[in-house]
Amino acid sequence: MQWDGNTSIILDVMTCLGVALPVEVKNIAFAGTFRLIFRRLVDEFPCFGAVYYSLRQKKKLDYTLKVFGGDMTAIPGVSDAIEAYRCHGYLAGVAKPYFEVVATRIGWNHPDAVEDSIMWPVRKVIRILPGDHSLLPGSIHPNSILYQLHHLQTLNLAYNDVYPSSIPHNIGGLTNLRHLNLSDAWFQGKIPTEISYLSNLVSLDLSNSYALELDERTFETMLQNLTNLEAGEIPDSIGNFSSLKYLNLQQCQFSGSIPDSIGNLTLITELDLSYNHFTGRIIPSTISKFKHLTRLDLSSNSFSGEIPDVFSNLQKLRYLDFFNNSFIGPFPASILSLTRLEHLGLSSNSLSGPLPSNTSMLPKLIHLNLSYNSLNGTIPSWVFSLPLLYSVSLQHNRFRGLADEVIKTNPTLKELHLSNNQLSGSFPQSLANLTNLETLGISSNNITVDEGMNITFLSLSSLFLSSCQLKHFPYFLRNVNTLVYLDISNNKISGQIPNWFSGMRWDSLIFLNLSHNSLTGNLPQFRYDNLGYLDLKFNSLQGPLPSSICNMSKLMLLDLSHNYLSNSVPHCLGSMGLLTALDLKRNNLTCYGLEVLDVGNNAINDTFPAWLGILQELQVLILKSNKFHGPISTCHTEFCFTKLRIFDLSRNDFSGSLPAKVFGNFKAMIKLDGEDIGNIKYMTSLLNSPFVTSYENSVSLVIKGQDL
């Protein structure tokens, strides 16, 4: 509400000298924010019974004060002095020696008392019609029938006047509630712990409830149980829980910035705000107050700016993770002074610059993850020499190399990930000093391995050397007997697969990727009977598939595509129960004996496979319920479905006319087996295979999209 009047009020004000001064108040302007509530709605004109009004914030009053026609408020300091007198009952500055304004006579002395009497939530009532027109006048009885509505999903008591009621404990019985709004209802007292029983709540509004109290136990229980709440921002009132020691808001859908008041939680030991939608910067002064903190997890949010370099105050910290945010700037060097830190995760940010080269003081660090940043320079030697370190993840950065110092012997480091950096030169032989290393990833670097390099990794189980500059099979693999994963794909390895490699007894090997090289010659007889993943695509291999493939009964993926392999496909591939992906395209392999091909009820999106006509023994072709499209094209081969007897194209998107040339080849459909010798049979397998027999019993007829 605003009021602006061009008024002119002239007063004769007696000074202490006994002289009357004409004081003129002009251009009075009033601005204030009011809340008006019209209730209750009734049938009688004017359709509401009363008007409730209150002042939402302190009003603003502007005016011009003139003495002898001169604008006193324009004199520096006078306006402030008058305002001070208006608010506090005294007149300061230069004005007092010259005149005394009897302010109390015009109501300026204690305006706060007037304002507070109508400040929200206090409300004044102007009754329009007789009667009580409040929505819920007075208190709500704890045994009200309201709390027996156990199937209630939405309860809205907002903008009622239930003073002096408290939230009853039996509200916890409304377990089906999804939306609860108690805002502006003037409840008082403690929020009952039973409110945390409402585990189905999606929204909870207790705003403008100034007389409500929330103790720590209830707050913690609410955070644990109300996991379905669609949270907003953390309120400033979080700072009121100054004795709180544990706060876990993981995956609560909070957003906005962290209020500065959280710095009041100076006794907190664990703070987990991970997997939310928080934004903004981290205030250095806030973090530095958490001297008792042992765990700080801000991962998977949208924090930005630099990470404050104030960790030297957090000497009790054991777990620190800022994974998956938008932090920029350098690595905060003060982290290196945390003598109790066990886990450090700053991955998936935009940190840049080199790592500090000074000796680290992280004697208890076990896990270090700085991956997916833009860190550069050389990797300092302290990264590999921490006494309890188990894993180091530095992949996807811009590191150029290792420090000149030789890596010291470290028996604790088990995992080292350096892939996707800018490392160059020969394979760093000093890595062999990591005597118990189990996983080594150096893929996507400019690393080469000297053919005769002979180092030993006694415990190595996973080696990733793809997309480097390898020209030979790493000879040091002869000293490794524990391999589980080996990836040397996308290199420049040429020639035949060496006999020493194919003859290795890697009984634990389950993943082998040699794809995208220049391998030639025949495939050797592998001895990897437990292999589950074999990828040899995009090479120049030739000849038949080795019989040893039939011993790989645990194969789930076999990709031999884009080679020059020839001869027939081994029948054993059809009996591998775990095989889910078989890719043999772009070879010279054949399946001349195939009689039944059923790819129905899939999502194959392709044109008609006319090339299948070369399968001279094919009798059943089921393509139904896929996404085949386009015309049914004719064959361009010598044979074209000459023995086909069952042909199902239903539930696809084929178009055009039926080509007579294709259907004219279906001679076998009108011929019965053995009719020339009087022993009439239909579709009997030459091998009397039980598979074909079982298939015969499952053939269904489809006419116009209907299964018969």
Side-chain angles (χ1 to χ4, degrees), residues 58-79:
K58 296 289 186 178
K59 65 182 181 293
K60 180 180 180 181
L61 183 65
D62 291 327
Y63 53 87
T64 300
L65 181 66
K66 293 187 175 183
V67 179
F68 291 119
D71 188 355
M72 294 294 293
T73 56
I75 301 175
V78 173
S79 179

Side-chain angles (χ1 to χ4, degrees), residues 574-588:
S575 61
M576 289 185 175
L578 298 178
L579 190 62
T580 57
L582 174 62
D583 195 342
L584 303 176
K585 65 176 176 286
R586 298 296 178 93
N587 280 286
N588 297 316

Side-chain angles (χ1 to χ4, degrees), residues 602-629:
N602 281 286
I604 301 174
N605 189 347
D606 203 350
T607 56
F608 179 71
W611 58 272
L612 290 174
I614 65 173
L615 301 177
Q616 300 178 35
E617 301 297 326
L618 191 65
Q619 298 184 49
V620 178
L621 178 58
I622 307 296
L623 304 179
K624 69 176 182 180
S625 299
N626 278 285
K627 297 180 181 180
F628 287 105
H629 55 272

Side-chain angles (χ1 to χ4, degrees), residues 129-203:
L129 297 174
D132 186 355
H133 299 285
S134 61
L135 284 176
L136 288 174
S139 61
I140 300 178
H141 196 276
N143 296 324
S144 170
I145 193 174
L146 176 67
Y147 302 110
Q148 301 177 24
L149 305 176
H150 298 300
H151 297 285
L152 193 66
Q153 294 189 10
T154 300
L155 177 59
N156 189 344
L157 299 179
Y159 300 106
N160 285 292
D161 193 353
V162 298
Y163 182 84
S165 293
S166 58
I167 301 175
H169 293 272
N170 51 5
I171 196 172
L174 304 178
T175 54
N176 286 308
L177 271 183
R178 292 177 54 82
H179 304 278
L180 176 60
N181 190 344
L182 304 181
S183 64
D184 293 280
W186 206 227
F187 281 103
Q188 70 165 7
K190 288 187 176 182
I191 298 175
T193 303
E194 287 80 2
I195 204 169
S196 64
Y197 300 168
L198 308 179
S199 59
N200 290 315
L201 276 184
V202 175
S203 65

Side-chain angles (χ1 to χ4, degrees), residues 233-463:
E233 298 185 5
I234 295 180
D236 286 333
S237 57
I238 189 71
N240 296 335
F241 301 99
S242 56
S243 59
L244 193 66
K245 293 184 178 181
Y246 177 85
L247 178 59
N248 189 334
L249 300 180
Q250 184 186 66
Q251 291 184 312
C252 288
Q253 303 299 316
F254 279 107
S255 59
S257 58
I258 304 298
D260 294 345
S261 61
I262 203 170
N264 296 338
L265 310 182
T266 54
L267 298 180
I268 196 164
T269 61
E270 295 190 24
L271 177 60
D272 191 340
L273 306 180
S274 61
Y275 294 92
N276 283 285
H277 307 288
F278 291 117
T279 57
R281 296 171 177 264
I282 299 178
I283 308 301
S285 58
T286 299
I287 289 186
S288 60
K289 296 178 181 179
F290 299 147
K291 296 182 180 181
H292 298 281
L293 203 61
T294 62
R295 179 186 177 93
L296 177 59
D297 193 345
L298 304 182
S299 58
S300 289
N301 282 285
S302 297
F303 289 113
S304 58
E306 295 189 3
I307 299 176
D309 198 5
V310 292
F311 292 95
S312 55
N313 291 335
L314 279 59
Q315 288 301 313
K316 295 184 179 181
L317 200 61
R318 295 198 303 265
Y319 185 100
L320 176 62
D321 204 327
F322 290 173
F323 156 75
N324 194 24
N325 279 280
S326 298
F327 289 116
I328 60 173
F331 176 90
S334 60
I335 288 179
L336 301 184
S337 66
L338 300 177
T339 56
R340 300 184 184 182
L341 194 65
E342 299 173 1
H343 173 96
L344 174 58
L346 303 179
S347 62
S348 298
N349 283 283
S350 297
L351 302 180
S352 57
L355 291 178
S357 58
N358 54 301
T359 302
S360 172
M361 297 173 59
L362 300 173
K364 294 189 177 181
L365 193 67
I366 299 174
H367 300 285
L368 173 64
N369 191 347
L370 306 179
S371 61
Y372 293 90
N373 280 287
S374 297
L375 298 169
N376 55 36
T378 58
I379 302 173
S381 59
W382 62 260
V383 170
F384 309 102
S385 60
L386 300 177
L388 299 180
L389 200 60
Y390 179 91
S391 67
V392 174
S393 298
L394 302 179
Q395 68 268 29
H396 289 273
N397 277 285
R398 299 177 182 176
F399 291 114
R400 297 191 304 273
L402 306 182
D404 295 335
E405 301 98 315
V406 175
I407 297 175
K408 298 179 181 179
T409 300
N410 188 339
T412 64
L413 190 60
K414 299 293 184 66
E415 297 181 8
L416 177 58
H417 301 277
L418 302 175
S419 299
N420 295 88
N421 276 283
Q422 299 173 6
L423 307 178
S424 59
S426 298
F427 184 91
Q429 296 193 42
S430 59
L431 290 178
N433 291 331
L434 307 176
T435 52
N436 289 321
L437 197 64
E438 296 177 357
T439 299
L440 176 60
I442 315 185
S443 298
S444 298
N445 284 287
N446 294 320
I447 294 292
T448 60
V449 177
D450 297 335
E451 184 177 7
M453 187 174 67
N454 191 13
I455 58 178
T456 301
F457 291 101
L458 294 176
S459 304
L460 194 64
S461 62
S462 302
L463 177 62

Side-chain angles (χ1 to χ4, degrees), residues 50-125:
V51 178
Y52 289 71
Y53 70 93
S54 57
L55 190 64
R56 288 290 291 168
Q57 61 188 37
K58 296 289 186 178
K59 65 182 181 293
K60 180 180 180 181
L61 183 65
D62 291 327
Y63 53 87
T64 300
L65 181 66
K66 293 187 175 183
V67 179
F68 291 119
D71 188 355
M72 294 294 293
T73 56
I75 301 175
V78 173
S79 179
D80 294 339
I82 295 175
E83 183 67 16
Y85 187 91
R86 184 182 76 85
C87 294
H88 302 289
Y90 64 88
L91 194 65
V94 299
K96 188 172 182 179
Y98 298 100
F99 59 89
E100 186 83 32
V101 178
V102 187
T104 54
R105 295 182 181 179
I106 54 177
W108 282 3
N109 197 22
H110 295 289
D112 287 344
V114 177
E115 292 176 359
D116 290 344
S117 68
I118 59 172
M119 280 290 293
W120 180 262
V122 178
R123 287 166 283 185
K124 301 300 181 183
V125 183

Side-chain angles (χ1 to χ4, degrees), residues 524-538:
Q525 298 289 346
F526 291 118
R527 299 177 181 269
Y528 320 138
D529 294 347
N530 291 314
L531 204 61
Y533 181 108
L534 177 58
D535 192 347
L536 297 171
K537 65 176 177 284
F538 285 98

Side-chain angles (χ1 to χ4, degrees), residues 30 70 136 185 229 300 302 354 377 385 405 505 547 549 623 642 657 682:
F30 171 84
L136 288 174
L229 281 179
S300 289
S302 297
S385 60
E405 301 98 315
R505 287 285 185 177
S547 59
I549 283 185
L623 304 179
T642 55
S657 59
Y682 187 67

